[in-house]
PDB file of all heavy atoms in Angstrom:
ATOM      1  N   ARG A 201     119.136  99.003  75.485  1.00 89.00           N
ATOM      2  CA  ARG A 201     119.494  98.805  76.899  1.00 89.00           C
ATOM      3  C   ARG A 201     118.247  98.406  77.711  1.00 89.00           C
ATOM      4  O   ARG A 201     118.306  97.509  78.547  1.00 89.00           O
ATOM      5  CB  ARG A 201     120.115 100.080  77.465  1.00 89.00           C
ATOM      6  CG  ARG A 201     120.459  99.972  78.959  1.00 89.00           C
ATOM      7  CD  ARG A 201     121.143 101.216  79.493  1.00 89.00           C
ATOM      8  NE  ARG A 201     122.567 101.198  79.207  1.00 89.00           N
ATOM      9  CZ  ARG A 201     123.173 101.963  78.294  1.00 89.00           C
ATOM     10  NH1 ARG A 201     122.460 102.822  77.578  1.00 89.00           N
ATOM     11  NH2 ARG A 201     124.470 101.884  78.077  1.00 89.00           N
ATOM     12  N   PRO A 230     125.586  93.630  90.765  1.00 95.00           N
ATOM     13  CA  PRO A 230     126.163  94.935  90.379  1.00 95.00           C
ATOM     14  C   PRO A 230     125.708  95.492  89.037  1.00 95.00           C
ATOM     15  O   PRO A 230     125.432  96.700  88.944  1.00 95.00           O
ATOM     16  CB  PRO A 230     127.677  94.666  90.409  1.00 95.00           C
ATOM     17  CG  PRO A 230     127.829  93.611  91.460  1.00 95.00           C
ATOM     18  CD  PRO A 230     126.627  92.727  91.318  1.00 95.00           C
ATOM     19  N   PRO A 231     125.602  94.682  87.960  1.00 94.00           N
ATOM     20  CA  PRO A 231     125.169  95.289  86.682  1.00 94.00           C
ATOM     21  C   PRO A 231     123.789  95.918  86.761  1.00 94.00           C
ATOM     22  O   PRO A 231     123.536  96.948  86.116  1.00 94.00           O
ATOM     23  CB  PRO A 231     125.169  94.086  85.716  1.00 94.00           C
ATOM     24  CG  PRO A 231     126.109  93.099  86.315  1.00 94.00           C
ATOM     25  CD  PRO A 231     125.967  93.249  87.798  1.00 94.00           C
ATOM     26  N   LEU A 232     122.890  95.324  87.527  1.00 95.00           N
ATOM     27  CA  LEU A 232     121.561  95.901  87.677  1.00 95.00           C
ATOM     28  C   LEU A 232     121.588  97.117  88.592  1.00 95.00           C
ATOM     29  O   LEU A 232     120.965  98.146  88.305  1.00 95.00           O
ATOM     30  CB  LEU A 232     120.595  94.860  88.249  1.00 95.00           C
ATOM     31  CG  LEU A 232     120.205  93.708  87.313  1.00 95.00           C
ATOM     32  CD1 LEU A 232     119.372  92.679  88.061  1.00 95.00           C
ATOM     33  CD2 LEU A 232     119.430  94.228  86.109  1.00 95.00           C
ATOM     34  N   MET A 233     122.325  97.020  89.700  1.00 96.00           N
ATOM     35  CA  MET A 233     122.398  98.134  90.650  1.00 96.00           C
ATOM     36  C   MET A 233     122.996  99.386  90.001  1.00 96.00           C
ATOM     37  O   MET A 233     122.584 100.508  90.315  1.00 96.00           O
ATOM     38  CB  MET A 233     123.238  97.732  91.867  1.00 96.00           C
ATOM     39  CG  MET A 233     122.651  96.604  92.718  1.00 96.00           C
ATOM     40  SD  MET A 233     121.068  96.998  93.484  1.00 96.00           S
ATOM     41  CE  MET A 233     119.977  95.992  92.476  1.00 96.00           C
ATOM     42  N   ALA A 234     123.930  99.180  89.085  1.00 95.00           N
ATOM     43  CA  ALA A 234     124.568 100.332  88.430  1.00 95.00           C
ATOM     44  C   ALA A 234     123.572 101.153  87.622  1.00 95.00           C
ATOM     45  O   ALA A 234     123.736 102.373  87.457  1.00 95.00           O
ATOM     46  CB  ALA A 234     125.693  99.834  87.520  1.00 95.00           C
ATOM     47  N   LEU A 235     122.519 100.510  87.146  1.00 95.00           N
ATOM     48  CA  LEU A 235     121.536 101.213  86.319  1.00 95.00           C
ATOM     49  C   LEU A 235     120.622 102.111  87.142  1.00 95.00           C
ATOM     50  O   LEU A 235     119.901 102.942  86.573  1.00 95.00           O
ATOM     51  CB  LEU A 235     120.707 100.201  85.531  1.00 95.00           C
ATOM     52  CG  LEU A 235     121.508  99.374  84.512  1.00 95.00           C
ATOM     53  CD1 LEU A 235     120.630  98.325  83.865  1.00 95.00           C
ATOM     54  CD2 LEU A 235     122.134 100.273  83.446  1.00 95.00           C
ATOM     55  N   TYR A 236     120.617 101.959  88.457  1.00 96.00           N
ATOM     56  CA  TYR A 236     119.856 102.877  89.310  1.00 96.00           C
ATOM     57  C   TYR A 236     120.474 104.280  89.306  1.00 96.00           C
ATOM     58  O   TYR A 236     119.866 105.220  89.807  1.00 96.00           O
ATOM     59  CB  TYR A 236     119.796 102.353  90.745  1.00 96.00           C
ATOM     60  CG  TYR A 236     118.712 101.337  90.980  1.00 96.00           C
ATOM     61  CD1 TYR A 236     119.008 100.064  91.442  1.00 96.00           C
ATOM     62  CD2 TYR A 236     117.384 101.636  90.739  1.00 96.00           C
ATOM     63  CE1 TYR A 236     118.008  99.116  91.661  1.00 96.00           C
ATOM     64  CE2 TYR A 236     116.378 100.711  90.950  1.00 96.00           C
ATOM     65  CZ  TYR A 236     116.694  99.458  91.412  1.00 96.00           C
ATOM     66  OH  TYR A 236     115.701  98.536  91.620  1.00 96.00           O
ATOM     67  N   CYS A 237     121.637 104.404  88.733  1.00 95.00           N
ATOM     68  CA  CYS A 237     122.290 105.714  88.646  1.00 95.00           C
ATOM     69  C   CYS A 237     121.839 106.496  87.411  1.00 95.00           C
ATOM     70  O   CYS A 237     122.160 107.675  87.269  1.00 95.00           O
ATOM     71  CB  CYS A 237     123.815 105.540  88.599  1.00 95.00           C
ATOM     72  SG  CYS A 237     124.472 104.607  90.001  1.00 95.00           S
ATOM     73  N   VAL A 238     121.119 105.826  86.530  1.00 94.00           N
ATOM     74  CA  VAL A 238     120.680 106.461  85.286  1.00 94.00           C
ATOM     75  C   VAL A 238     119.383 107.221  85.536  1.00 94.00           C
ATOM     76  O   VAL A 238     118.451 106.702  86.153  1.00 94.00           O
ATOM     77  CB  VAL A 238     120.467 105.402  84.185  1.00 94.00           C
ATOM     78  CG1 VAL A 238     120.016 106.061  82.892  1.00 94.00           C
ATOM     79  CG2 VAL A 238     121.742 104.601  83.972  1.00 94.00           C
ATOM     80  N   ASP A 239     119.313 108.440  85.043  1.00 93.00           N
ATOM     81  CA  ASP A 239     118.125 109.273  85.237  1.00 93.00           C
ATOM     82  C   ASP A 239     117.125 108.993  84.115  1.00 93.00           C
ATOM     83  O   ASP A 239     116.868 109.841  83.250  1.00 93.00           O
ATOM     84  CB  ASP A 239     118.513 110.748  85.260  1.00 93.00           C
ATOM     85  CG  ASP A 239     117.342 111.643  85.670  1.00 93.00           C
ATOM     86  OD1 ASP A 239     116.368 111.105  86.234  1.00 93.00           O
ATOM     87  OD2 ASP A 239     117.400 112.853  85.416  1.00 93.00           O
ATOM     88  N   ASN A 240     116.560 107.774  84.142  1.00 94.00           N
ATOM     89  CA  ASN A 240     115.597 107.350  83.128  1.00 94.00           C
ATOM     90  C   ASN A 240     114.549 106.487  83.822  1.00 94.00           C
ATOM     91  O   ASN A 240     114.832 105.361  84.234  1.00 94.00           O
ATOM     92  CB  ASN A 240     116.306 106.561  82.019  1.00 94.00           C
ATOM     93  CG  ASN A 240     115.363 106.133  80.904  1.00 94.00           C
ATOM     94  OD1 ASN A 240     114.280 105.620  81.140  1.00 94.00           O
ATOM     95  ND2 ASN A 240     115.794 106.350  79.667  1.00 94.00           N
ATOM     96  N   LEU A 241     113.346 107.028  83.985  1.00 93.00           N
ATOM     97  CA  LEU A 241     112.313 106.352  84.756  1.00 93.00           C
ATOM     98  C   LEU A 241     111.954 104.982  84.175  1.00 93.00           C
ATOM     99  O   LEU A 241     111.782 104.007  84.912  1.00 93.00           O
ATOM    100  CB  LEU A 241     111.053 107.231  84.827  1.00 93.00           C
ATOM    101  CG  LEU A 241     109.871 106.641  85.602  1.00 93.00           C
ATOM    102  CD1 LEU A 241     110.257 106.328  87.037  1.00 93.00           C
ATOM    103  CD2 LEU A 241     108.679 107.590  85.563  1.00 93.00           C
ATOM    104  N   LEU A 243     113.783 102.916  82.357  1.00 95.00           N
ATOM    105  CA  LEU A 243     114.865 101.957  82.586  1.00 95.00           C
ATOM    106  C   LEU A 243     114.913 101.545  84.053  1.00 95.00           C
ATOM    107  O   LEU A 243     115.046 100.354  84.374  1.00 95.00           O
ATOM    108  CB  LEU A 243     116.196 102.578  82.161  1.00 95.00           C
ATOM    109  CG  LEU A 243     117.434 101.695  82.360  1.00 95.00           C
ATOM    110  CD1 LEU A 243     117.345 100.450  81.485  1.00 95.00           C
ATOM    111  CD2 LEU A 243     118.710 102.483  82.055  1.00 95.00           C
ATOM    112  N   VAL A 244     114.798 102.508  84.952  1.00 96.00           N
ATOM    113  CA  VAL A 244     114.830 102.218  86.388  1.00 96.00           C
ATOM    114  C   VAL A 244     113.664 101.318  86.780  1.00 96.00           C
ATOM    115  O   VAL A 244     113.813 100.397  87.596  1.00 96.00           O
ATOM    116  CB  VAL A 244     114.818 103.535  87.197  1.00 96.00           C
ATOM    117  CG1 VAL A 244     114.502 103.272  88.664  1.00 96.00           C
ATOM    118  CG2 VAL A 244     116.171 104.239  87.076  1.00 96.00           C
ATOM    119  N   THR A 245     112.503 101.548  86.197  1.00 95.00           N
ATOM    120  CA  THR A 245     111.345 100.694  86.477  1.00 95.00           C
ATOM    121  C   THR A 245     111.611  99.261  86.047  1.00 95.00           C
ATOM    122  O   THR A 245     111.263  98.304  86.760  1.00 95.00           O
ATOM    123  CB  THR A 245     110.094 101.236  85.750  1.00 95.00           C
ATOM    124  OG1 THR A 245     109.836 102.565  86.194  1.00 95.00           O
ATOM    125  CG2 THR A 245     108.887 100.363  86.030  1.00 95.00           C
ATOM    126  N   VAL A 247     114.532  97.816  85.851  1.00 97.00           N
ATOM    127  CA  VAL A 247     115.493  97.262  86.810  1.00 97.00           C
ATOM    128  C   VAL A 247     114.778  96.821  88.083  1.00 97.00           C
ATOM    129  O   VAL A 247     115.036  95.737  88.625  1.00 97.00           O
ATOM    130  CB  VAL A 247     116.592  98.297  87.139  1.00 97.00           C
ATOM    131  CG1 VAL A 247     117.517  97.766  88.240  1.00 97.00           C
ATOM    132  CG2 VAL A 247     117.406  98.630  85.901  1.00 97.00           C
ATOM    133  N   MET A 289     122.555 101.159  99.312  1.00 95.00           N
ATOM    134  CA  MET A 289     122.542 102.125  98.212  1.00 95.00           C
ATOM    135  C   MET A 289     121.658 103.337  98.477  1.00 95.00           C
ATOM    136  O   MET A 289     121.755 104.340  97.763  1.00 95.00           O
ATOM    137  CB  MET A 289     122.083 101.435  96.925  1.00 95.00           C
ATOM    138  CG  MET A 289     123.065 100.415  96.384  1.00 95.00           C
ATOM    139  SD  MET A 289     122.629  99.880  94.726  1.00 95.00           S
ATOM    140  CE  MET A 289     122.946 101.350  93.757  1.00 95.00           C
ATOM    141  N   LYS A 292     123.542 106.612  98.709  1.00 92.00           N
ATOM    142  CA  LYS A 292     124.695 106.774  97.820  1.00 92.00           C
ATOM    143  C   LYS A 292     124.482 107.980  96.899  1.00 92.00           C
ATOM    144  O   LYS A 292     123.416 108.164  96.314  1.00 92.00           O
ATOM    145  CB  LYS A 292     124.915 105.516  96.971  1.00 92.00           C
ATOM    146  CG  LYS A 292     125.252 104.260  97.770  1.00 92.00           C
ATOM    147  CD  LYS A 292     126.565 104.401  98.508  1.00 92.00           C
ATOM    148  CE  LYS A 292     126.923 103.125  99.236  1.00 92.00           C
ATOM    149  NZ  LYS A 292     128.123 103.289 100.088  1.00 92.00           N
ATOM    150  N   ALA A 293     125.518 108.771  96.746  1.00 91.00           N
ATOM    151  CA  ALA A 293     125.425 109.986  95.938  1.00 91.00           C
ATOM    152  C   ALA A 293     125.283 109.681  94.445  1.00 91.00           C
ATOM    153  O   ALA A 293     124.763 110.496  93.690  1.00 91.00           O
ATOM    154  CB  ALA A 293     126.656 110.855  96.164  1.00 91.00           C
ATOM    155  N   VAL A 294     125.723 108.493  94.020  1.00 93.00           N
ATOM    156  CA  VAL A 294     125.710 108.185  92.587  1.00 93.00           C
ATOM    157  C   VAL A 294     124.309 107.878  92.068  1.00 93.00           C
ATOM    158  O   VAL A 294     124.073 107.885  90.863  1.00 93.00           O
ATOM    159  CB  VAL A 294     126.637 106.989  92.277  1.00 93.00           C
ATOM    160  CG1 VAL A 294     128.084 107.360  92.508  1.00 93.00           C
ATOM    161  CG2 VAL A 294     126.239 105.775  93.085  1.00 93.00           C
ATOM    162  N   LEU A 295     123.370 107.622  92.944  1.00 94.00           N
ATOM    163  CA  LEU A 295     122.014 107.263  92.514  1.00 94.00           C
ATOM    164  C   LEU A 295     121.324 108.444  91.849  1.00 94.00           C
ATOM    165  O   LEU A 295     121.476 109.588  92.268  1.00 94.00           O
ATOM    166  CB  LEU A 295     121.162 106.813  93.697  1.00 94.00           C
ATOM    167  CG  LEU A 295     121.417 105.435  94.302  1.00 94.00           C
ATOM    168  CD1 LEU A 295     120.418 105.186  95.422  1.00 94.00           C
ATOM    169  CD2 LEU A 295     121.317 104.343  93.271  1.00 94.00           C
ATOM    170  N   SER A 296     120.532 108.132  90.818  1.00 94.00           N
ATOM    171  CA  SER A 296     119.654 109.165  90.259  1.00 94.00           C
ATOM    172  C   SER A 296     118.471 109.351  91.205  1.00 94.00           C
ATOM    173  O   SER A 296     118.213 108.500  92.072  1.00 94.00           O
ATOM    174  CB  SER A 296     119.161 108.747  88.873  1.00 94.00           C
ATOM    175  OG  SER A 296     118.319 107.611  88.974  1.00 94.00           O
ATOM    176  N   ALA A 297     117.734 110.415  91.034  1.00 93.00           N
ATOM    177  CA  ALA A 297     116.597 110.681  91.924  1.00 93.00           C
ATOM    178  C   ALA A 297     115.524 109.602  91.788  1.00 93.00           C
ATOM    179  O   ALA A 297     115.004 109.093  92.782  1.00 93.00           O
ATOM    180  CB  ALA A 297     116.011 112.053  91.608  1.00 93.00           C
ATOM    181  N   VAL A 298     115.206 109.218  90.534  1.00 95.00           N
ATOM    182  CA  VAL A 298     114.184 108.179  90.341  1.00 95.00           C
ATOM    183  C   VAL A 298     114.697 106.820  90.803  1.00 95.00           C
ATOM    184  O   VAL A 298     113.928 105.978  91.278  1.00 95.00           O
ATOM    185  CB  VAL A 298     113.729 108.116  88.866  1.00 95.00           C
ATOM    186  CG1 VAL A 298     112.957 109.349  88.500  1.00 95.00           C
ATOM    187  CG2 VAL A 298     114.902 107.895  87.929  1.00 95.00           C
ATOM    188  N   GLY A 299     116.009 106.607  90.688  1.00 96.00           N
ATOM    189  CA  GLY A 299     116.594 105.361  91.176  1.00 96.00           C
ATOM    190  C   GLY A 299     116.466 105.230  92.681  1.00 96.00           C
ATOM    191  O   GLY A 299     116.145 104.155  93.210  1.00 96.00           O
ATOM    192  N   ARG A 300     116.682 106.347  93.385  1.00 96.00           N
ATOM    193  CA  ARG A 300     116.566 106.327  94.854  1.00 96.00           C
ATOM    194  C   ARG A 300     115.117 106.023  95.269  1.00 96.00           C
ATOM    195  O   ARG A 300     114.860 105.206  96.142  1.00 96.00           O
ATOM    196  CB  ARG A 300     117.016 107.670  95.431  1.00 96.00           C
ATOM    197  CG  ARG A 300     117.314 107.616  96.936  1.00 96.00           C
ATOM    198  CD  ARG A 300     117.807 108.959  97.452  1.00 96.00           C
ATOM    199  NE  ARG A 300     118.766 109.592  96.584  1.00 96.00           N
ATOM    200  CZ  ARG A 300     120.063 109.296  96.539  1.00 96.00           C
ATOM    201  NH1 ARG A 300     120.552 108.369  97.344  1.00 96.00           N
ATOM    202  NH2 ARG A 300     120.879 109.934  95.708  1.00 96.00           N
ATOM    203  N   ASP A 301     114.164 106.677  94.608  1.00 95.00           N
ATOM    204  CA  ASP A 301     112.755 106.430  94.934  1.00 95.00           C
ATOM    205  C   ASP A 301     112.375 104.975  94.685  1.00 95.00           C
ATOM    206  O   ASP A 301     111.626 104.365  95.466  1.00 95.00           O
ATOM    207  CB  ASP A 301     111.852 107.342  94.100  1.00 95.00           C
ATOM    208  CG  ASP A 301     111.866 108.790  94.597  1.00 95.00           C
ATOM    209  OD1 ASP A 301     112.538 109.058  95.621  1.00 95.00           O
ATOM    210  OD2 ASP A 301     111.221 109.640  93.959  1.00 95.00           O
ATOM    211  N   SER A 302     112.885 104.415  93.609  1.00 96.00           N
ATOM    212  CA  SER A 302     112.545 103.030  93.269  1.00 96.00           C
ATOM    213  C   SER A 302     113.107 102.048  94.287  1.00 96.00           C
ATOM    214  O   SER A 302     112.436 101.084  94.677  1.00 96.00           O
ATOM    215  CB  SER A 302     113.065 102.687  91.870  1.00 96.00           C
ATOM    216  OG  SER A 302     112.415 103.459  90.887  1.00 96.00           O
ATOM    217  N   ILE A 303     114.318 102.276  94.744  1.00 96.00           N
ATOM    218  CA  ILE A 303     114.924 101.403  95.755  1.00 96.00           C
ATOM    219  C   ILE A 303     114.137 101.484  97.060  1.00 96.00           C
ATOM    220  O   ILE A 303     113.860 100.457  97.702  1.00 96.00           O
ATOM    221  CB  ILE A 303     116.404 101.789  95.976  1.00 96.00           C
ATOM    222  CG1 ILE A 303     117.243 101.339  94.776  1.00 96.00           C
ATOM    223  CG2 ILE A 303     116.944 101.165  97.260  1.00 96.00           C
ATOM    224  CD1 ILE A 303     118.690 101.746  94.849  1.00 96.00           C
ATOM    225  N   ASN A 353     120.703 113.137  94.913  1.00 91.00           N
ATOM    226  CA  ASN A 353     119.629 113.509  94.002  1.00 91.00           C
ATOM    227  C   ASN A 353     118.303 113.008  94.570  1.00 91.00           C
ATOM    228  O   ASN A 353     118.181 111.841  94.931  1.00 91.00           O
ATOM    229  CB  ASN A 353     119.863 112.866  92.630  1.00 91.00           C
ATOM    230  CG  ASN A 353     121.167 113.309  92.007  1.00 91.00           C
ATOM    231  OD1 ASN A 353     121.414 114.502  91.849  1.00 91.00           O
ATOM    232  ND2 ASN A 353     122.019 112.353  91.657  1.00 91.00           N
TER     233      ASN A 353
END
Side-chain angles (χ1 to χ4, degrees):
R201 177 177 277 107
L232 289 174
M233 295 297 107
L235 296 175
Y236 277 122
C237 304
V238 180
D239 189 17
N240 182 313
L241 180 58
L243 179 64
V244 166
T245 301
V247 175
M289 292 191 69
K292 297 296 183 186
V294 292
L295 286 182
S296 66
V298 291
R300 197 178 317 279
D301 285 357
S302 295
I303 287 176
N353 300 305

